[in-house]
Amino acid sequence: MGRATRVLCGGIYYGEGPRWRDGRLWFSDFFAHAVYSVSLAGDLRTEVKIDDQASGLGWMPDGSLLVVSMTKRQVLRRSLEGKIAVHAGTIE
């Protein structure tokens, strides 16, 4: 007995790293330089845009979002208030 599948949204360039959180599927879009989330109803939301290629996702215990900034080799943190700052990075 299989499960039915359906498309929740389109227009994604290179969606990767899907994570389920707070009733939404979250994913980064490498070429769009953004993190999106989509509900089961298909409501696509841009969560954050960065000036680099967005990759891996995670969350801190307080709920703030972590996003990998690929070519800058940084981990960005979006606070609960929406402010984006460097959380970790390489030493040049």
Side-chain angles (χ1 to χ4, degrees):
M1 182 172 174
R3 294 185 178 199
T5 59
R6 62 189 164 107
V7 175
L8 294 179
C9 62
I12 300 166
Y13 293 106
Y14 190 81
E16 64 175 350
R19 304 284 304 273
W20 186 259
R21 185 173 174 88
D22 298 330
R24 301 180 70 80
L25 181 66
W26 294 64
F27 58 94
S28 56
D29 192 330
F30 193 81
F31 293 117
H33 297 195
V35 173
Y36 298 103
S37 71
V38 64
S39 71
L40 290 177
D43 144 49
L44 182 66
R45 185 166 65 199
T46 302
E47 298 292 344
V48 64
K49 289 195 91 52
I50 64 172
D51 64 350
D52 193 17
Q53 295 169 326
S55 189
L57 304 177
W59 285 268
M60 297 293 293
D62 70 355
S64 56
L65 174 66
L66 299 174
V67 180
V68 172
S69 177
M70 284 294 292
T71 64
K72 291 183 179 182
R73 301 184 323 182
Q74 297 175 331
V75 176
L76 305 176
R77 182 176 181 172
R78 185 189 70 178
S79 70
L80 298 178
E81 296 78 30
K83 181 178 178 185
I84 298 172
V86 175
H87 180 71
T90 59
I91 299 173
E92 297 293 326

